[in-house]
């Protein structure tokens, strides 16, 4: 009986300390677009690159505030695994694209991203924090808790935490998504008014974030589905 109780206690401790990482991965191609609208329209009309790399879903995010240069945006692709995401570098070379694409954008760099928490793929108005963290998985766990509290307070807000692979100087991304800018602003107003869920945000940043490298806002949308 004592042995059984000990095993049960140990399993309980392990379950409390284990944080499940979801399946799947994303890639992003960061570009400088000469004409953002025309570039997006061309991708909607010519979806062969997405088919060639086997993306499940693809879309774009256009940086609206905090830009480092005019036409800052990226194209993202969703895959069922990191294996599939890594293979894209062998299947498509954005530096050797068609003349039509090359006239509309300059490719800068690519990254593969591993989501560290479950993330509802429902693009919209998105705030993005590039952060340095002492423990990305622990931070993701707190964002999962915060997401639940914010949603329990009546807000349709989605949180994503993504770890870069092969991304040069890229750091962990925290992405907070709502359908509209006003919805995001309402949560911020409540935070500054003392909403209880704000304590989770403050604690997570104080405990796990050593630097906010950059913060931007983006408008994102889906432009391809398999």
């Amino acid at each position: 009986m004592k042995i059984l109780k000990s095993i049960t206690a140990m399993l309980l401790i392990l379950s409390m300390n284990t944080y499940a990482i979801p399946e799947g991965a994303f890639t992003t191609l960061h570009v400088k677009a000469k004409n953002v609208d025309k570039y997006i329209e061309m991708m909607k009309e010519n979806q062969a690159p997405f088919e060639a790399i086997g993306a499940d879903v693809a879309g774009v995010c256009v940086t609206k505030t905090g830009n480092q240069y005019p036409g800052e945006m990226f194209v993202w692709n969703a895959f069922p695994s990191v294996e599939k995401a890594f293979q894209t570098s062998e299947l498509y070379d954005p530096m050797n694209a068609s003349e039509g694409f090359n006239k509309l954008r300059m490719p800068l760099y690519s990254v593969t991203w591993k989501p560290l928490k479950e993330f509802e793929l429902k693009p919209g108005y998105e705030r993005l924090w590039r952060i340095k963290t002492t423990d990305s998985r622990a931070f993701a766990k707190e964002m999962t808790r915060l997401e639940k509290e914010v949603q329990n307070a009546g807000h349709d807000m989605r949180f994503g935490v993504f770890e870069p692979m092969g991304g040069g100087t890229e750091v962990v991304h925290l992405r907070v998504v709502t359908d509209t800018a006003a919805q995001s602003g309402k949560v911020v107003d409540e935070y500054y008014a003392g909403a209880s869920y704000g304590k989770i945000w403050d604690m997570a940043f104080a405990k796990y974030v050593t630097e906010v490298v950059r913060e931007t806002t983006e408008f994102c949308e889906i432009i391809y589905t398999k």
Side-chain angles (χ1 to χ4, degrees):
M1 183 63 71
K2 289 183 179 180
I3 294 176
L4 180 58
K5 286 182 178 180
S6 297
I7 294 174
T8 302
M10 184 176 295
L11 290 174
L12 179 60
I13 292 170
L14 287 173
S15 67
M16 291 172 64
N17 291 324
T18 300
Y19 179 70
I21 303 298
E23 296 180 350
F26 291 86
T27 62
T28 55
L29 170 63
H30 297 255
V31 305
K32 181 177 183 179
K34 299 174 183 178
N35 187 314
V36 171
D37 293 337
K38 285 186 178 180
Y39 177 45
I40 294 174
E41 189 59 35
M42 176 174 282
M43 286 188 288
K44 289 179 178 179
E45 294 175 354
N46 180 12
Q47 302 200 327
F50 304 126
E51 296 170 355
I53 63 175
D56 288 340
V57 186
V60 295
C61 288
V62 180
T63 305
K64 293 296 185 179
T65 67
N67 311 55
Q68 290 188 326
Y69 50 85
E72 182 176 358
M73 62 176 291
F74 64 84
V75 183
W76 54 265
N77 295 273
F79 298 91
S81 65
V82 175
E83 177 185 4
K84 294 290 185 182
F86 275 3
Q87 287 177 349
T88 62
S89 61
E90 299 175 329
L91 299 174
Y92 177 73
D93 181 5
M95 304 295 181
N96 190 29
S98 67
E99 184 178 353
F101 280 124
N102 288 334
K103 286 182 178 180
L104 293 175
R105 56 67 167 150
M106 177 189 300
L108 301 178
Y109 65 97
S110 300
V111 192
T112 298
W113 300 94
K114 179 62 185 176
L116 298 184
K117 65 174 292 297
E118 294 292 344
F119 178 64
E120 181 183 2
L121 188 53
K122 185 183 175 186
Y125 176 84
E126 313 200 5
R127 291 184 69 187
L128 170 63
W129 288 262
R130 288 174 165 86
I131 61 172
K132 294 182 180 179
T133 173
T134 57
D135 191 332
S136 57
R137 296 190 183 191
F139 179 77
K141 187 174 182 179
E142 291 304 319
M143 291 301 102
T144 299
R145 189 161 70 96
L146 175 59
E147 179 181 58
K148 184 178 296 185
E149 290 298 315
V150 171
Q151 291 177 352
N152 287 342
H155 302 289
D156 184 11
M157 179 173 272
R158 290 85 70 186
F159 288 70
V161 180
F162 304 90
E163 198 163 64
M165 292 175 282
T169 58
E170 274 287 10
V171 292
V172 170
H173 281 196
L174 166 64
R175 184 171 293 276
V176 179
V177 186
T178 51
D179 293 338
T180 68
Q183 289 174 317
S184 181
K186 186 175 182 179
V187 175
V188 174
D189 285 336
E190 289 187 4
Y191 165 81
Y192 282 107
S196 60
Y197 53 72
K199 295 178 181 179
I200 303 175
W201 175 274
D202 292 341
M203 181 278 293
F205 268 73
K207 188 173 182 179
Y208 298 115
V209 176
T210 59
E211 180 183 351
V212 176
V213 177
R214 185 181 172 213
E215 182 195 349
T216 55
T217 61
E218 305 169 348
F219 289 164
C220 303
E221 63 175 308
I222 292 172
I223 62 173
Y224 168 82
T225 303
K226 182 184 288 187

